[in-house]
Amino acid sequence: MAITVRTEGIGPSAVFALPWLVADERGYFASEGISVEFVENRAEQVLTQPVEDHGLVDSIRNHVPFEEGRVDLYRACEWGQIRRAHDSRRGARIIGKRSSVAVMALMAAPGSKHFYPQTLANEPVAVSFHNGNHYAAIQMLEGFLETGEIKTVGYHTIDGYRAVRSGEAAAVALSEPWIALAEKQGFQKVIETHYAGLELASPDFDRDVYAACNRAIGRAVADINADKRRYLHYLIDSLPEVFRGEITPDDFHLPRLRYVQPEPYTRVEFEKAYSWMLRWGLIEPGSRYEDLVIGDPDAGTVR
């Protein structure tokens, strides 16, 4: 009888979940004796208007099924997962690094004056608070602007996209397939980066099961890197229906899509990210690596 692992549904995050989708499609989980159930995301807090203060936005809002015990693990950006492990009522723990190395770009409207980061000083930049585009946007801009000149505003992705088109926001932080869509529609790229992600697990999630999942994921990563174009339909299908007919696989810049073998999350990585979050007031002090990260039994101590 297969062990069932419940992970969050795909929704708009197919680019981050692609190794899981491919491993499931190719039967790699089944070969490890694992059945994967994709559970649809659900948010308790829905933003109905732009929000300027990230403190008013719940870090867990898009991951309610996990907090309810209906999901075993899920993937998101490094900084957001540190914050969610800190905030989790269920006791979520970081269990490893996500295989998707995410791309994020700040995109301005067609014909905009915003061609490089300095032009975004004191201008509203649309992000989704406590997700990768929020944190990555700050990191992209802090090398060019003073702290007080960076003005992130919370939107849902589709609303941020439309806010840039209407002139309400100067730029929007986008991942794929939104970058491909924006470029196809004439948006201007201001700056682009890649960043790591993490996986959160329930506190009692079996490490042996996770190791088996990672063996399947590793095989899927090899398949993706051998032929990325074959799997782009997952990304296109993750767009809102109104946009799906706007792009084809030919519109993607394939080197942007980066997938790596699963790895543990080290203390050095945690401390660097946590220190940066403290500096920006994005998390409260007091948490330690031992509090938020599941240890490595092979090492004999917490990693």
Side-chain angles (χ1 to χ4, degrees):
M1 180 175 176
I3 296 169
T4 299
V5 174
R6 297 165 300 169
T7 186
E8 287 195 341
I10 309 315
S13 302
V15 67
F16 310 131
L18 192 59
W20 282 79
L21 293 168
V22 173
D24 192 47
E25 173 190 316
R26 305 280 288 176
Y28 298 150
F29 288 125
S31 69
E32 294 285 349
I34 294 171
S35 172
V36 172
E37 178 186 346
F38 293 101
V39 178
E40 200 62 38
N41 287 351
R42 181 170 62 82
E44 285 184 345
Q45 183 184 30
V46 178
L47 301 185
T48 57
Q49 59 186 9
V51 177
E52 295 186 2
D53 181 0
H54 69 82
L56 300 177
V57 177
D58 182 7
S59 71
I60 299 173
R61 72 186 189 282
N62 294 325
H63 305 284
V64 173
F66 177 87
E67 293 296 314
E68 292 176 337
R70 296 174 52 236
V71 166
D72 298 310
L73 59 86
Y74 65 93
R75 301 148 301 281
C77 74
E78 177 182 16
W79 314 282
Q81 297 292 63
I82 291 173
R83 175 65 190 266
R84 292 184 195 98
H86 177 278
D87 293 348
S88 175
R89 298 176 295 274
R90 188 183 175 193
R93 303 284 295 278
I94 296 163
I95 195 169
K97 291 169 73 172
R98 178 180 69 187
S99 290
S100 170
V101 178
V103 60
M104 192 65 62
L106 298 185
M107 306 293 293
S112 165
K113 67 179 182 179
H114 302 296
F115 282 102
Y116 53 93
Q118 290 91 333
T119 64
L120 293 175
N122 298 306
E123 297 279 359
V125 176
V127 303
S128 176
F129 281 142
H130 305 303
N131 289 316
N133 60 52
H134 173 202
Y135 304 111
I138 295 173
Q139 290 213 341
M140 283 188 281
L141 291 173
E142 67 180 348
F144 300 92
L145 304 178
E146 298 296 329
T147 300
E149 294 178 324
I150 298 175
K151 306 296 183 183
T152 54
V153 182
Y155 288 84
H156 287 300
T157 299
I158 189 170
D159 295 330
Y161 191 86
R162 288 170 171 161
V164 169
R165 296 211 69 159
S166 69
E168 180 181 320
V172 58
L174 299 175
S175 61
E176 289 287 24
W178 286 92
I179 297 173
L181 173 67
E183 290 182 328
K184 185 72 173 287
Q185 295 190 336
F187 279 56
Q188 300 168 176
K189 185 174 69 178
V190 180
I191 189 172
E192 179 180 303
T193 192
H194 283 80
Y195 61 91
L198 302 176
E199 293 181 317
L200 281 191
S202 55
D204 58 350
F205 192 69
D206 191 299
R207 293 186 180 108
D208 290 337
V209 173
Y210 187 63
C213 288
N214 278 344
R215 288 193 293 270
I217 293 297
R219 295 174 68 185
V221 165
D223 288 347
I224 294 168
N225 288 333
D227 187 3
K228 294 174 184 175
R229 192 175 299 276
R230 174 177 178 176
Y231 304 105
L232 291 177
H233 64 92
Y234 283 114
L235 276 60
I236 295 172
D237 290 346
S238 72
L239 284 167
E241 188 172 354
V242 66
F243 291 127
R244 287 177 198 163
E246 296 288 323
I247 58 173
T248 72
D250 291 336
D251 295 314
F252 287 82
H253 180 55
L254 297 182
R256 280 198 185 112
L257 301 172
R258 301 178 185 179
Y259 296 92
V260 298
Q261 293 297 312
E263 294 180 345
Y265 187 53
T266 68
R267 182 184 297 275
V268 170
E269 291 170 307
F270 169 82
E271 291 181 349
K272 181 178 293 186
Y274 187 70
S275 176
W276 178 82
M277 293 176 72
L278 285 173
R279 191 165 69 249
W280 277 89
L282 297 167
I283 196 169
E284 297 174 356
S287 288
R288 304 171 303 159
Y289 183 80
E290 290 84 354
D291 300 327
L292 304 185
V293 182
I294 294 176
D296 183 353
D298 295 331
T301 60
V302 175
R303 288 194 303 268

